[in-house]
């Protein structure tokens, strides 16, 4: 078992790494849009991909979610909520855009 | 008689672990319950995002995202909220490893609180400059959806800030006892969660609107 001091240093480093990763991803995202480095379609995809990666960084480094076995119950809760969100939000978007498409 | 064995299940979020085993075990179900709340909150936000996605182009001849959004101020808000997430992380670590150092804990809390309040000030500034350009909630479907989503997040940050003040008072009055510790752990989850929602807002609302 690690002593407290070493463990503290390790956890602080983990927060710092998460902070720097998230900062980098945000800056790249804003810079892409500010400088309009890519055509609009690619730009949008880029922003969404970077946003999604940043989401994972936040979950991993700030909320300490990972795939270790002892956290399985909580992971189940998270995955179930994700399923609900995908069904409800995704379903709303699909149905309404489909209607929009049919009415034009 | 068998000795009682506590199998400490790890909960998501910061775990007190060996620094305070007893509180760590006691925190388990409150923290899990708080996760259930956070996830239902996430469903609310997801649906507000879906509504925004549907309404985004419904500007009804009024101002468009291009006319209203400022990349500079949304970037600053992003930096401020992200930094406040980090400073809260430092507060959590102070609580975990040097709970008797109240001054340092309160210092990190104060820093987080200031960042939260500055974030809210920027957001109100955004809202008022949007209103000055005719971007008020009743103007179009796009603006109604925008204000529903972004101000729901703002209200969460405001209640988080009030909660922070309450916890600072509790730290001073009660000290960092087990009950206060589990409350700080839950506030931490809430605060980091709000930053995650903000990542969605700046990507989906501000950056998509400015492309």
């Amino acid at each position: 078992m690690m002593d407290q001091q070493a463990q503290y240093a390790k956890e602080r480093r983990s927060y710092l790494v998460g902070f720097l990763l998230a900062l980098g991803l945000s800056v790249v995202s804003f810079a892409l849009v500010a400088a309009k480095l890519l055509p609009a379609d690619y730009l949008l995809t880029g922003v969404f991909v970077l946003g999604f990666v940043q989401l994972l960084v936040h979950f991993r480094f700030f909320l300490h979610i990972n795939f270790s076995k002892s956290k399985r119950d909580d992971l189940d809760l998270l995955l179930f909520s994700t399923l609900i969100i995908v069904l409800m939000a995704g379903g709303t978007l699909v149905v309404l855009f489909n209607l929009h498409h049919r009415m034009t | 008689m068998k000795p009682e064995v506590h199998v400490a299940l790890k909960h998501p979020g910061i775990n007190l672990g060996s620094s305070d085993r007893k509180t760590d075990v006691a925190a388990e179900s409150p923290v899990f319950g708080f996760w259930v709340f956070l996830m239902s909150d996430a469903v609310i936000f997801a649906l507000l995002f879906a509504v925004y996605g549907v309404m985004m182009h419904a500007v009804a001849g009024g101002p468009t995202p291009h006319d209203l959004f400022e990349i500079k101020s949304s970037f600053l808000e992003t930096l401020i909220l992200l930094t406040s997430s980090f400073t809260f992380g430092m507060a959590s670590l102070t609580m975990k490893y040097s709970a008797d150092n109240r001054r340092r804990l309160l210092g990190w809390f104060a820093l987080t609180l200031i960042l939260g309040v500055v974030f809210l000030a920027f957001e109100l500034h955004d809202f008022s400059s949007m209103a000055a350009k005719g971007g008020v909630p009743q103007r179009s479907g796009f603006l109604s959806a925008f204000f529903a989503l972004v101000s729901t997040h703002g209200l969460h940050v405001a209640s988080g800030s009030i909660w922070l003040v309450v916890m600072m008072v509790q730290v001073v009055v009660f000290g960092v006892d087990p009950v206060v510790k589990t409350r700080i752990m839950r506030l931490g989850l809430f605060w980091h969660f709000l930053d995650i929602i903000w990542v969605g807002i700046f990507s989906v609302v501000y950056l998509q609107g400015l492309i």
Side-chain angles (χ1 to χ4, degrees):
Chain A
M1 197 164 192
M2 271 186 291
D3 68 321
Q4 298 281 320
Q5 203 56 41
Q7 217 169 352
Y8 172 63
K10 186 171 162 247
E11 283 202 64
R12 197 176 46 182
R13 196 165 54 240
S14 154
Y15 271 104
L16 204 61
V17 168
F19 177 62
L20 292 177
L21 279 176
L23 191 67
L25 288 162
S26 300
V27 169
V28 171
S29 224
F30 274 92
L32 278 179
V33 174
K36 298 223 183 308
L37 289 173
L38 297 165
D41 285 354
Y42 292 113
L43 214 53
L44 190 61
T45 314
V47 165
F48 282 174
V49 169
L50 288 168
F52 184 72
V53 174
Q54 193 175 346
L55 216 80
L56 297 181
V57 167
H58 281 245
F59 269 110
R60 168 71 184 77
F61 290 95
F62 293 151
L63 288 170
H64 311 279
I65 301 287
N66 56 40
F67 290 97
S68 69
K69 270 219 168 77
S70 58
K71 293 183 179 175
R72 222 15 88 78
D73 273 2
D74 304 298
L75 200 61
D76 283 350
L77 170 69
L78 214 66
L79 291 177
F80 180 68
S81 313
T82 310
L83 176 71
I84 297 289
I85 286 170
V86 168
L87 282 178
M88 291 173 81
T92 304
L93 290 172
V94 168
V95 169
L96 284 170
F97 279 121
N98 185 268
L99 269 178
H100 182 71
H101 178 70
R102 282 160 192 271
M103 283 165 73
T104 44
Chain B
M1 208 172 109
K2 280 184 192 165
E4 199 181 342
V5 182
H6 275 297
V7 183
L9 286 167
K10 282 182 167 174
H11 47 74
I14 195 162
N15 278 254
L16 291 169
S18 54
S19 75
D20 186 352
R21 179 65 71 202
K22 215 170 144 202
T23 308
D24 197 37
V25 174
E28 194 148 319
S29 69
V31 170
F32 184 75
F34 197 74
W35 266 94
V36 175
F37 157 72
L38 281 184
M39 289 299 108
S40 43
D41 219 20
V43 172
I44 293 177
F45 276 111
L47 292 180
L48 287 171
F49 273 112
V51 171
Y52 181 80
V54 169
M55 286 296 180
M56 200 166 50
H57 301 293
V59 292
T64 61
H66 260 288
D67 305 327
L68 297 173
F69 296 162
E70 292 162 27
I71 197 163
K72 217 188 259 175
S73 114
S74 48
F75 182 59
L76 280 174
E77 283 160 12
T78 303
L79 292 186
I80 291 165
L81 210 59
L82 181 59
T83 310
S84 84
S85 221
F86 176 72
T87 56
F88 201 107
M90 292 300 100
S92 302
L93 288 185
T94 306
M95 174 195 81
K96 181 171 174 178
Y97 291 104
S98 37
D100 43 344
N101 194 342
R102 270 196 228 179
R103 184 169 293 185
R104 200 201 295 178
L105 180 60
L106 288 172
W108 284 117
F109 275 161
L111 206 55
T112 311
L113 178 65
I114 291 168
L115 289 166
V117 171
V118 171
F119 171 84
L120 285 172
F122 267 103
E123 190 153 76
L124 286 176
H125 163 80
D126 275 4
F127 287 175
S128 71
S129 76
M130 282 175 73
K133 294 177 198 158
V136 285
Q138 64 270 30
R139 180 62 188 84
S140 62
F142 149 65
L143 281 159
S144 304
F146 169 86
F147 278 102
L149 172 59
V150 179
S151 42
T152 303
H153 176 268
L155 281 177
H156 276 73
V157 175
S159 30
S161 303
I162 294 170
W163 190 359
L164 252 172
V165 174
V166 172
M167 289 324 299
M168 286 169 81
V169 173
Q170 292 197 1
V171 165
V172 172
V173 176
F174 302 130
V176 189
D177 64 12
V179 178
V180 171
K181 274 187 183 177
T182 63
R183 286 176 186 157
I184 292 174
M185 285 158 83
R186 277 172 283 176
L187 174 55
L189 293 178
F190 187 66
W191 200 265
H192 294 310
F193 172 75
L194 292 185
D195 199 18
I196 290 181
I197 301 294
W198 182 257
V199 173
I201 290 182
F202 81 69
S203 306
V204 172
V205 177
Y206 287 103
L207 291 181
Q208 180 170 212
L210 287 166
I211 284 174

